[in-house]
Structure formats: structure tokens, C-alpha cells
Amino acid sequence: MNVEGHAALVTGGASGLGRATAELLAKRGAKIVIVDLPQSAGQDVAKALGGVFVPADVTDEAQMRTALDAADSLGALRAVVHCAGRGATLRVLDRDGMAASLEIYESIVRINLTGTFNVLRLAAERMAKVEPVDGERGALVLTASIAAYEGQIGQIPYASSKAGIVGMTLVAARDLAQRLIRVAAIAPGIFDTPILDRLPIEIKDKLGAAVPHPARLGRAQEFAALAVHIVENAMINGETIRLDGAVRMPPR
């Protein structure tokens, strides 16, 4: 799928993985819509890319429809890269043996998993209405995590939600094949994104050293390169691709 001159929507596009992806799609000639929270740097990022910023919660149907309307105003929507999400530390039982907060668990699953499905279904609805180009209408790239496979202690809501995205990907790809729409996912390892900025540099260096090769944290531009390649490569469909330098996470 050649995105030049077509609309591309990136959730979580104001920073980190999403921002790098939006920047690379813009370099490929796509017309960019950035979706992120109102308090984010989305407006500045979109302006720098000559795109449009729409503040939105990915779990909110009306807000996401507004974002998709913005994409439609720029041209045929051919690419969606969904990066928005968050984590939280939660153990099944706390130190006093008390059960974990169901509210926290449900909130992470709602943002990461329900939010992903909301973006997927609404974006697919728009893509299904555009004319095919070279035998396809568009591609959706979802963001899972290696925590889907090796969630660490304390990651139970995050790992659960990301495992759900892995499970969603092949089913969605098969479902949407008749519409000529592809769906794939990326499962990043340990990446140097704003979420790690709160950690001391020595901790970040230790995390990077645990990666077999290259022995460093992943770079947002490397995620972006894979996301854009998935959009451009018509044979990548239904797959979740680990992007992790061969790291496998220990229990803690």
C-alpha cells in the first residue's frame, strides 16, 4: 500500500512510538491525523507535520468518529497505526494478602484492549468504503507487547490487555480479508519512550543491557520503520511481529 497522497491516522501520535510513526508516514507523503489526549503535544506535532490533531479518548466512539471524519477530509483513509495505551502496576494479592483492585484492572483493559477494538472497528468501517488500490483498501497496525507472552509480576492488567490484542489480530485479519483490509500487530520489547523517562539512567542502561542484540533499548524510529513496512507490504497480514532484540522477560 502506497500511502502517498492518502490519509493516515496514528493514535498516541503525540509522543514516543506513535510520534515516530507519524513522522515517517509524513515523509512517505501521507496526510497525517494525530489522535492523542487533549493535554498532549499533539497540536504541535501535527503542525510540524502539516497534519491535523484531534484530541480524543480511544475508547470513546463519538470522539473517534470525529477523528476519522478529519481523516476523511484529507483523503482516502489507507493506514491506521494504533499506539495509544497505558500500563499500571498491580499484583493479584497485595502484601497484606488483599485482592487486587478490580477497578484498576478493568481500566487498563478498557483503554488498551477495548480501545484497540474501538479504533479497529470504526477505522475498518471507513476503509471499507474507499476504492481499492492495487488490490487492497488499507492496513491497520495494532500495538501489542512482549508482555503478552512474558508478562512480569505486577503486569497482570497490561499483559492481559496486550495478549488480547495478539488474539484479536489474526481473527480481525481473517474477518476483514473480504473487505481487502489487512490487520497486523507489533509486539515491542523494551523501548526508550517517554514512559521510561521517570527511571534513572542506570536502570535504563541495565534494561538495555538485558537485550541479547543489540544490547540497548529499542528506538521509536525502529518501531516506526516496521509499522510503515507493514502498511507498505501487502503480504503481511494477521501476524503479530515481535520487535525485541531477542529478549525474553524474566518473572520480575
Side-chain angles (χ1 to χ4, degrees):
M1 172 62 63
N2 184 350
V3 296
E4 185 175 3
H6 298 297
L9 184 148
V10 181
T11 71
S15 65
L17 306 179
R19 178 172 182 168
T21 302
E23 290 171 345
L24 186 53
L25 285 166
K27 287 181 181 178
R28 292 288 204 274
K31 300 175 182 179
I32 305 298
V33 175
I34 287 178
V35 175
D36 215 310
L37 296 174
Q39 64 270 28
S40 73
Q43 186 66 54
D44 293 337
V45 175
K47 183 178 180 180
L49 299 179
V52 175
F53 171 57
V54 180
D57 177 340
V58 295
T59 67
D60 187 292
E61 178 172 348
Q63 292 179 17
M64 281 310 304
R65 287 192 182 277
T66 298
L68 290 162
D69 288 343
D72 286 343
S73 73
L74 299 178
L77 179 63
R78 300 292 183 184
V80 172
V81 182
H82 177 56
C83 298
R86 63 178 293 261
T89 301
L90 191 72
R91 299 186 65 150
V92 179
L93 301 178
D94 67 17
R95 291 181 179 180
D96 297 321
M98 301 298 291
S101 165
L102 187 60
E103 181 180 5
I104 293 174
Y105 182 87
E106 288 180 332
S107 71
I108 298 303
V109 171
R110 176 164 176 76
I111 292 166
N112 292 354
L113 183 56
T114 306
T116 296
F117 182 67
N118 193 44
V119 172
L120 171 71
R121 71 188 184 98
L122 296 175
E125 180 183 61
R126 300 299 177 99
M127 282 185 180
K129 296 174 182 177
V130 303
E131 289 298 316
V133 175
D134 295 330
E136 59 178 336
R137 288 191 167 91
L140 298 111
V141 181
L142 313 179
T143 303
S145 167
I146 61 169
Y149 307 100
E150 300 119 33
Q152 295 183 293
I153 293 170
Q155 282 190 318
I156 195 160
Y158 184 75
S160 299
S161 63
K162 294 300 185 176
I165 293 169
V166 173
M168 181 186 299
T169 300
L170 178 59
V171 181
R174 288 171 163 174
D175 190 354
L176 294 172
Q178 62 181 320
R179 310 283 185 178
L180 308 181
I181 297 170
R182 292 184 290 114
V183 183
I186 300 172
I190 312 168
F191 272 67
D192 191 8
T193 61
I195 199 170
L196 293 186
D197 286 348
R198 56 188 170 83
L199 298 179
I201 186 64
E202 57 269 22
I203 298 298
K204 293 174 69 172
D205 289 344
K206 184 177 180 180
L207 288 170
V211 180
H213 179 70
R216 58 168 173 79
L217 299 177
R219 297 167 182 153
Q221 292 76 12
E222 292 165 332
F223 176 95
L226 179 55
V228 173
H229 180 71
I230 290 170
V231 170
E232 294 177 338
N233 191 326
M235 278 302 290
I236 299 179
N237 195 17
E239 185 59 72
T240 299
I241 302 171
R242 290 184 67 128
L243 187 66
D244 61 16
V247 73
R248 296 297 183 267
M249 300 304 291
R252 66 177 78 226

